[in-house]
């Protein structure tokens, strides 16, 4: 979306009215709420199917998803979306073309892939050190913590700590990403690469 706005010169108009941090936050929040709405619609459809067609789906009588688990899932969704949405916004700020973003996209998504792989391996021991680490680490907690909660009881302090670390990391990444909107005009036309992206992100370009 940001790459298209750069090509259409829309982003230049927007940046005359808002700060780079506001730009990143607004983009992430808008698309995050859209994703949340889509998720809610899917859950509504699943609820309707389970409510009116449970026998056809072979759903055990009395089966339900704990309300607390849904609440934590919402919190970790928002934190995880902010973390990864801000990083993709930064990629969009620097990349001149969508095709050039593939080299960085897989690096950004690597922690989530690792979380899925290791959670599948450590699912039999959800209280082990590996599962605990993945559920507390901000880049993997959005997946790993919900997996742990579904498999075993998680101490409240770990759940709260993971959420706090997530939102603190999201804030930090949004502040870093705001730099890329300052730098994008200086870097227009340059070849996009993972090295360039991270150098600008951490203020070394």
């Amino acid at each position: 979306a940001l790459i298209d706005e750069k090509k259409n010169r829309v982003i230049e108009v927007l940046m005359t009215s808002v700060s780079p941090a506001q730009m990143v936050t607004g983009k992430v929040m808008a698309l995050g709420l859209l994703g949340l709405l889509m998720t809610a619609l899917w859950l509504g459809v699943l609820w309707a199917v389970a409510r009116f067609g449970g026998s056809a789906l072979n759903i055990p009588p009395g089966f339900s998803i704990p309300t607390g688990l849904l609440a934590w899932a919402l919190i970790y969704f928002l934190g995880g979306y902010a973390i990864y949405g801000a990083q993709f916004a930064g990629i969009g700020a620097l990349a001149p073309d969508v095709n050039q973003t593939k080299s960085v996209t897989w690096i950004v998504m690597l922690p989530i892939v690792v979380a899925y792989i290791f959670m599948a391996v450590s699912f039999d021991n959800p209280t082990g050190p590996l599962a605990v680490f993945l559920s507390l680490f901000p880049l993997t907690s959005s997946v790993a913590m919900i997996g742990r909660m579904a498999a075993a009881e998680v101490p409240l302090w770990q759940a709260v700590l993971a959420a706090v670390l997530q939102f603190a990391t999201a804030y930090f990444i949004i502040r870093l990403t705001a730099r890329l909107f300052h730098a994008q005009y200086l870097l227009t036309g340059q070849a996009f690469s993972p090295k360039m992206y991270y150098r600008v992100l951490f203020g070394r370009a």
Side-chain angles (χ1 to χ4, degrees):
L2 283 170
I3 291 173
D4 289 338
E5 290 180 358
K6 284 173 57 180
K7 291 181 178 179
N8 297 330
R9 299 298 197 186
V10 174
I11 196 170
E12 295 180 11
V13 178
L14 293 176
M15 290 190 66
T16 60
S17 304
V18 298
S19 67
Q22 291 173 330
M23 169 78 73
V24 178
T25 304
K27 291 291 184 184
V28 173
M29 287 182 61
L31 293 177
L33 291 175
L34 178 60
L36 190 60
L37 175 61
M38 294 174 61
T39 302
L41 291 174
W42 276 110
L43 289 176
V45 171
L46 291 174
W47 176 85
V49 172
R51 176 68 175 80
F52 300 106
S55 59
L57 296 176
N58 295 322
I59 297 177
F63 173 82
S64 64
I65 299 177
T67 305
L69 181 61
L70 291 176
W72 282 114
L74 174 62
I75 293 172
Y76 292 126
F77 168 83
L78 294 175
Y81 198 98
I83 289 174
Y84 287 95
Q87 293 182 74
F88 280 109
I91 293 173
L94 293 181
D97 187 84
V98 175
N99 294 328
Q100 295 190 29
T101 65
K102 296 177 181 178
S103 59
V104 177
T105 299
W106 73 269
I107 298 177
V108 171
M109 293 302 298
L110 186 60
I112 289 292
V113 176
V114 170
Y116 274 113
I117 294 174
F118 279 94
M119 281 308 297
V121 173
S122 61
F123 195 76
D124 293 334
N125 186 20
T127 59
L130 177 60
V132 172
F133 171 77
L134 291 176
S135 64
L136 294 178
F137 185 59
L139 298 183
T140 57
S141 59
S142 57
V143 171
M145 182 58 81
I146 297 301
R148 282 188 65 204
M149 287 181 171
E153 185 175 353
V154 176
L156 180 60
W157 71 268
Q158 291 186 9
V160 173
L161 177 60
V164 170
L165 291 175
Q166 258 199 339
F167 284 99
T169 303
Y171 174 80
F172 177 69
I173 292 178
I174 288 174
R175 301 299 299 181
L176 286 179
T177 303
R179 298 178 181 178
L180 306 185
F181 287 85
H182 287 298
Q184 67 166 319
Y185 298 107
L186 300 176
L187 296 172
T188 300
Q190 294 189 20
F192 182 74
S193 66
K195 181 180 179 181
M196 181 266 285
Y197 170 70
Y198 286 107
R199 286 186 62 187
V200 179
L201 184 66
F202 292 101
R204 297 181 179 178

